[in-house]
C-alpha cells in the first residue's frame, strides 16, 4: 500500500522543472495523475514514462492557465472517475525579464500576472468547490522566496509571488472548518528552465544564474511537496521555505570561484 494510493492529483505546469518532478514524486507514492501544461507533447512523454514505471492512470491536457474559459471547460469535462481531485498543485508559473521597474516591459508584466496570479485563481476556483462538496482535499501552491522579499529588477515577479502567498493564506482562512488543507511551498534558487524563460531564451545568461553554487533541484522541491501532502489528516503544513545552503535571502547568495 502506497501513501497516495487511490488519490487523484492535478499538477499544472507539468511539462518542465518543478512540476515534472512533482508529478514523478506523486507517482512514486501511488497517486493517479492529471497533468497539464501548454506543451502537451512534453506532458505526454512524461505520462508515458509514469505509466510504464508505475502502471498508474495518467490523464494529460493541453492547458493555458491564463484562459479562464479553457480552465473551466477542462475541469467540467473531466470523466467522472477523474472529477474528484484530491490534490491540486498550482505550479504553473514564470518570470519574464529582470529590468528596472521604469524600464519594464508591459508584455512581461502582463504575462507574469496573468499566469502566476490569475492562472492560479482560475484553476483554484474551478477545482476547490468540488473539494468543499467532498470535504476533502489538499491545495499546494508553489510560491517563492520572491513572495517574501523583493529584489532589484524583480518587482512584478515578486508582486505575483506576494499575491500567491496572500491567496494561499486567504484559502486557508476561507477553508477553515473544512478538512481541506492548504500549503504554500516557497523555494529559493532551483535550477530548471525558469531562468531560460526569464531571459527569453538567452542560455548563457540563464546558466550564469547558477554559476559557482549548488542550487536546489526540482526533486528537492517535489520532496517537500510530498512531505506536506503525506502528513496525517490533522496536520497542515501551511508554509515551507526552501533554500539551497548557499542562499540566505533572495539576493544573498555565496558563490565559489
Ligand atoms: P520551468 O520553466 O522549468 O517550468 C514552468 C512550468 O510552468 C512549465 O511546465 C510551463 O509549461 C508551465 N507554464 C508556464 N506558463 C503556463 C501557462 N500559461 N499555462 C500552463 N502552464 C504554464 O520553471 P520552474 O519549474 O522553475 O517553475 C515552476 C514554478 O516554480 C513557477 O511557479 C515558478 O515561479 C516557481 N519557482 C521557481 C523557482 C526557481 O528558481 N526555478 C524558485 C521558486 C519558485 P508550458 O510552457 O508547457 O505551458
Ligand atoms: C524564483 C526564484 O530567484 O527569482 O522564484 O526569487 S528567484
Amino acid at each position: 500500500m502506497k501513501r497516495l494510493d487511490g488519490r487523484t492529483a492535478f499538477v499544472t505546469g507539468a511539462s518542465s522543472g518543478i512540476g515534472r518532478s512533482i508529478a514523478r514524486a506523486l507517482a512514486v507514492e501511488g497517486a493517479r495523475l492529471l497533468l497539464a501544461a501548454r506543451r502537451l507533447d512534453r506532458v505526454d512523454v512524461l505520462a508515458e514514462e509514469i505509466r510504464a514505471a508505475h502502471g498508474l492512470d495518467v490523464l494529460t491536457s493541453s492547458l493555458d492557465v491564463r484562459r479562464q474559459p479553457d480552465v473551466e471547460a477542462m475541469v467540467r469535462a473531466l470523466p467522472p472517475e477523474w472529477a474528484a481531485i484530491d490534490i491540486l498543485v498550482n505550479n504553473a508559473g514564470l518570470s519574464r525579464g529582470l529590468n528596472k521597474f521604469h524600464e519594464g516591459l508591459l508584455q512581461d508584466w502582463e504575462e507574469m500576472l496573468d499566469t502566476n496570479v490569475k492562472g492560479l485563481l482560475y484553476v483554484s476556483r474551478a477545482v476547490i468547490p468540488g473539494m468543499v462538496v467532498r470535504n476533502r482535499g489538499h491545495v499546494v501552491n508553489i510560491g517563492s522566496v520572491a513572495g517574501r522579499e523583493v529584489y532589484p529588477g524583480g518587482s512584478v515577479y515578486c508582486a505575483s509571488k506576494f499575491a500567491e502567498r496572500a491567496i494561499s493564506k486567504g484559502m486557508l482562512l476561507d477553508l477553515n472548518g473544512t478538512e481541506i488543507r492548504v500549503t504554500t511551498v516557497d523555494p529559493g534558487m532551483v535550477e530548471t528552465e525558469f531562468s531560460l524563460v526569464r531571459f527569453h531564451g538567452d542560455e548563457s545568461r540563464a546558466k550564469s544564474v547558477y554559476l559557482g553554487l549548488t542550487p536546489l533541484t526540482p526533486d528537492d522541491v517535489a520532496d517537500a511537496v510530498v512531505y506536506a501532502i503525506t502528513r496525517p489528516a490533522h496536520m497542515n503544513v501551511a508554509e515551507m521555505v526552501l533554500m539551497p545552503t548557499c542562499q540566505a535571502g533572495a539576493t544573498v547568495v555565496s558563490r565559489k570561484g
Side-chain angles (χ1 to χ4, degrees):
M1 181 79 183
K2 294 180 178 168
R3 292 185 291 184
L4 298 178
D5 267 348
R7 308 274 190 89
T8 300
F10 177 17
V11 182
T12 67
S15 63
S16 176
I18 294 170
R20 184 163 55 197
S21 281
I22 291 171
R24 287 181 175 136
L26 296 178
V28 168
E29 298 294 342
R32 54 212 294 278
L33 296 168
L34 173 54
L35 304 178
R38 291 166 301 177
R39 288 170 293 179
L40 183 61
D41 52 337
R42 284 181 173 219
V43 183
D44 280 338
V45 169
L46 175 65
E48 208 36 61
E49 173 203 307
I50 290 172
R51 287 185 197 108
H54 304 285
L56 289 164
D57 286 343
V58 186
L59 193 65
T60 63
S61 178
S62 167
L63 184 69
D64 185 334
V65 296
R66 295 171 299 178
R67 297 172 189 250
Q68 191 275 335
D70 293 358
V71 170
E72 194 178 326
M74 193 217 89
V75 173
R76 267 179 200 269
L78 285 172
E81 65 275 22
W82 285 95
I85 294 166
D86 298 298
I87 298 159
L88 167 63
V89 184
N90 279 311
N91 163 77
L94 81 184
S95 67
R96 286 291 196 192
L98 200 56
N99 300 344
K100 287 185 186 297
F101 181 84
H102 51 280
E103 293 164 351
L105 304 179
L106 291 182
Q107 192 185 330
D108 287 350
W109 292 0
E110 276 162 15
E111 196 174 357
M112 288 187 278
L113 295 172
D114 286 350
T115 309
N116 302 357
V117 183
K118 292 167 77 177
L120 184 151
L121 291 173
Y122 297 154
V123 175
S124 303
R125 185 65 181 82
V127 171
I128 294 176
M131 291 181 169
V132 172
V133 169
R134 294 184 294 278
N135 194 26
R136 166 192 167 103
H138 198 144
V139 181
V140 179
N141 297 317
I142 304 299
S144 172
V145 296
R148 295 169 176 267
E149 290 176 59
V150 183
Y151 52 81
S155 54
V156 177
Y157 177 69
C158 294
S160 77
K161 291 298 183 179
F162 271 70
E164 174 281 333
R165 202 147 67 89
I167 294 163
S168 285
K169 181 68 183 184
M171 288 176 179
L172 194 63
L173 292 168
D174 290 344
L175 291 166
N176 183 243
T178 75
E179 294 300 315
I180 301 161
R181 298 185 285 181
V182 182
T183 301
T184 179
V185 175
D186 299 352
M189 300 173 83
V190 189
E191 190 162 7
T192 62
E193 293 174 17
F194 177 85
S195 293
L196 193 64
V197 172
R198 162 167 268 172
F199 300 125
H200 296 277
D202 182 338
E203 287 191 20
S204 65
R205 195 168 175 203
K207 275 209 174 75
S208 72
V209 172
Y210 310 105
L211 274 184
L213 58 86
T214 305
L216 293 175
T217 68
D219 288 350
D220 294 327
V221 182
D223 201 28
V225 170
V226 168
Y227 174 81
I229 291 172
T230 55
R231 290 315 86 207
H234 70 275
M235 173 174 169
N236 181 41
V237 180
E239 302 185 358
M240 294 176 98
V241 181
L242 319 171
M243 289 202 269
T245 307
C246 63
Q247 184 173 19
T251 55
V252 183
V253 179
S254 136
R255 292 178 198 268
K256 296 204 166 62

